[in-house]
Amino acid sequence: MRLISFSCITLASLMLLRCQHIAAVPEQKSDSALTVVENVEGEVGAVGDEGEEEVANLKVVQPTEQWQTLKPGEAVPAGSHVRLNLQTGQREVRLGEEQLKHWTQDHRNGGHVPSSFAPDELKQAMKKIKEDLNPDSVASKYRSLEELKKDMAQLDLLVETDVQIMRRLLDQFNSSSTTTEQRLNILLELEYLVHQVDNAQTLCSMGGLQLIVEGLNSSDFRLQEKSAFVLGSASASNPVVQVKAVESGALQKLLTALATAQPLIVKKKVLFALAALLRHFPYAQHNFLSNGGLQVLSELFRADGGGVLRTRIVTMLYDMISEKVLISQAGLDPVLDAAHEERVHQYSKVSVEAELLENGWCRLVPLLLESTEHDHREKALRALLAMAPKCLDEYRSDSSLLGYLLSLRDQYQELVHSEMILGDETGYFAEIVELIDTLLVKMK
Ligand SMILES: *[C@@H]1O[C@H](CO)[C@@H](O)[C@H](O)[C@H]1NC(C)=O
Ligand SMILES: *[C@@H]1O[C@H](CO)[C@@H](O)[C@H](O)[C@H]1NC(C)=O
């Protein structure tokens, strides 16, 4: 009986073991990894050329101090002692020398057999060996880098990026052969794209903003309206675009459009763009005021019977006043940075309040209370409160305002009552009553 005992093997050395110890045994097929037993049919075991499934299904045998026979497809942890029993033609395994030492110690202490690798780790390692040992199969599974690059390039050609789309749209828009209908569609597509902050800024760097601003005084009111729409959406919460737009002369164009445009839909969109441009941007607000912006708005307010424009205008006023108040209140915070001081400085140049009296706003805003919409009345009340420091005297001398506020208060208190009966917890009407009360207290 000849026993060949293999040296202890580790996983690391396993990777190099293509020229195997087993080659010393002539009748033994030697092209499989050492730790895996060959099938009876002589087929290569788990670490052979078969699919990954086999690795996954590999059964890992935990060796002990006794020799035990390995069945086909079974694997053993690193450091195990494997031998070939030439009599039976089968492989046997037991703990390696190092493992045995630990094992004996642990068993004396009643512990468990330590295993240098968990079964899962072993499977992973074997899978990797298998891939490493099979450069051909790897190559067939994965395409070369060059091929991949080619595929990516093709994909790029098929999928237009937003930047490419905007470039194409702007070129079309700028072409003299493009019809007005096409331009309108292009503006709608751009409006959709510029909601993304990056896209809006890219539009500016492509020179697109200039085209949009020029569209604001187009002779076709539909182009005016859509241009204002794009400008408003691009400027909304996008300081970079706000700055570029003011630099492109957008403010003057918007004011001119407000003063001259006829259809209501154009004025609505122009107001939308104006509000987006002025929001949190004291420099633009200052320019707006010095260009007679409040005068233009007051004329628009007087001319608007329906209340849609009035509400938007009053909201803009309210925003400008309250922004400045909020900034100065933030000034109470002891931790001030340079940017904040600059902002306070910029807002100090914006004197909306000073112009309120001049343009008759103290008398105009109460007119919005006559609207039948709760929302419009709420906006009016908030603006009246924000304007109160400048307008109180005017409010008091307004012969109809006090009476109007009292009757509104009655109406809303009844609504609060029915709100409670219906179990509506929103408290919207109660909020309006509170606004009225606050204003009434100030006017006393
Ligand atoms: C529009 O066309 C003019 C002249 O053809 C060109 O100078 C300008 O850069 C173009 N603008 C854009 C945004 O493509
Ligand atoms: C728009 O205004 C610019 C200058 O501000 C002017 O050159 C252009 O002719 C105006 N376009 C229309 C259609 O009025």
Side-chain angles (χ1 to χ4, degrees), residues 426-441:
T426 54
Y428 180 65
F429 296 136
E431 210 175 297
I432 292 184
V433 170
E434 217 177 290
L435 289 173
I436 295 172
D437 282 342
T438 313
L439 192 56
L440 285 172
V441 167

Side-chain angles (χ1 to χ4, degrees), residues 64-349:
T64 64
E65 58 177 348
Q66 302 293 332
W67 287 108
Q68 55 179 313
T69 305
L70 286 171
K71 296 192 197 75
E74 285 179 336
V76 295
S80 304
H81 201 157
V82 179
R83 71 179 184 186
L84 181 67
N85 182 330
L86 286 183
Q87 215 169 32
T88 60
Q90 294 193 311
R91 287 184 209 182
E92 298 171 338
V93 66
R94 74 164 196 205
L95 290 169
E97 300 307 320
E98 279 302 303
Q99 290 175 324
L100 207 51
K101 262 192 248 164
H102 293 298
W103 192 86
T104 325
Q105 270 167 12
D106 281 324
H107 273 249
R108 270 192 215 117
N109 304 336
H112 290 289
V113 183
S115 155
S116 39
F117 288 90
D120 276 341
E121 282 177 293
L122 185 70
K123 283 177 190 174
Q124 283 307 313
M126 285 189 149
K127 203 166 137 186
K128 173 146 177 32
I129 295 162
K130 191 181 140 191
E131 281 164 6
D132 287 351
L133 292 186
N134 273 300
D136 293 341
S137 72
V138 170
S140 63
K141 234 188 288 177
Y142 303 104
R143 279 158 307 151
S144 74
L145 192 59
E146 283 312 308
E147 282 175 313
L148 280 176
K149 276 189 194 159
K150 226 163 68 186
D151 281 5
M152 300 290 270
Q154 271 170 348
L155 215 64
D156 268 353
L157 288 180
L158 292 175
V159 182
E160 230 182 350
T161 64
D162 283 359
V163 173
Q164 289 167 324
I165 294 172
M166 287 194 292
R167 183 72 266 166
R168 175 172 55 77
L169 291 174
L170 285 181
D171 287 343
Q172 277 173 9
F173 192 87
N174 205 14
S175 154
S176 55
S177 59
T178 304
T179 67
T180 301
E181 294 302 326
Q182 287 170 327
R183 289 214 169 91
L184 292 172
N185 282 329
I186 290 169
L187 288 172
L188 274 183
E189 283 193 62
L190 286 174
E191 196 279 327
Y192 174 79
L193 288 166
V194 296
H195 282 271
Q196 276 191 37
V197 171
D198 290 357
N199 283 347
Q201 294 173 3
T202 306
L203 185 80
C204 291
S205 56
M206 283 176 171
L209 198 63
Q210 202 54 50
L211 293 180
I212 305 297
V213 169
E214 279 163 22
L216 291 175
N217 71 333
S218 162
S219 50
D220 190 310
F221 77 86
R222 295 171 303 166
L223 283 174
Q224 276 188 302
E225 188 230 345
K226 294 281 181 293
S227 299
F229 195 19
V230 179
L231 179 64
S233 297
S235 312
S237 308
N238 200 331
V240 174
V241 178
Q242 283 177 298
V243 170
K244 291 265 162 55
V246 169
E247 282 173 359
S248 310
L251 263 179
Q252 287 80 355
K253 283 267 183 2
L254 289 171
L255 287 178
T256 307
L258 276 185
T260 57
Q262 295 304 313
L264 185 68
I265 52 159
V266 180
K267 291 184 178 172
K268 268 164 78 174
K269 283 294 194 303
V270 171
L271 273 182
F272 162 67
L274 186 61
L277 209 56
L278 299 184
R279 202 84 209 268
H280 299 303
F281 189 15
Y283 175 79
Q285 292 174 14
H286 178 69
N287 269 9
F288 166 78
L289 294 176
S290 53
N291 276 287
L294 279 186
Q295 173 123 29
V296 174
L297 288 190
S298 71
E299 277 153 27
L300 201 60
F301 187 98
R302 283 175 231 266
D304 177 48
V308 182
L309 296 184
R310 284 184 173 185
T311 308
R312 288 172 189 236
I313 291 166
V314 166
T315 304
M316 273 176 63
L317 269 185
Y318 169 77
D319 284 346
M320 278 194 275
I321 297 170
S322 55
E323 260 177 42
K324 191 175 170 179
V325 171
L326 279 177
I327 283 289
S328 55
Q329 280 174 352
L332 299 172
D333 195 327
V335 195
L336 290 181
D337 55 6
H340 178 82
E341 280 182 27
E342 175 58 24
R343 226 172 294 140
V344 172
H345 174 68
Q346 297 233 332
Y347 272 108
S348 73
K349 292 200 212 159

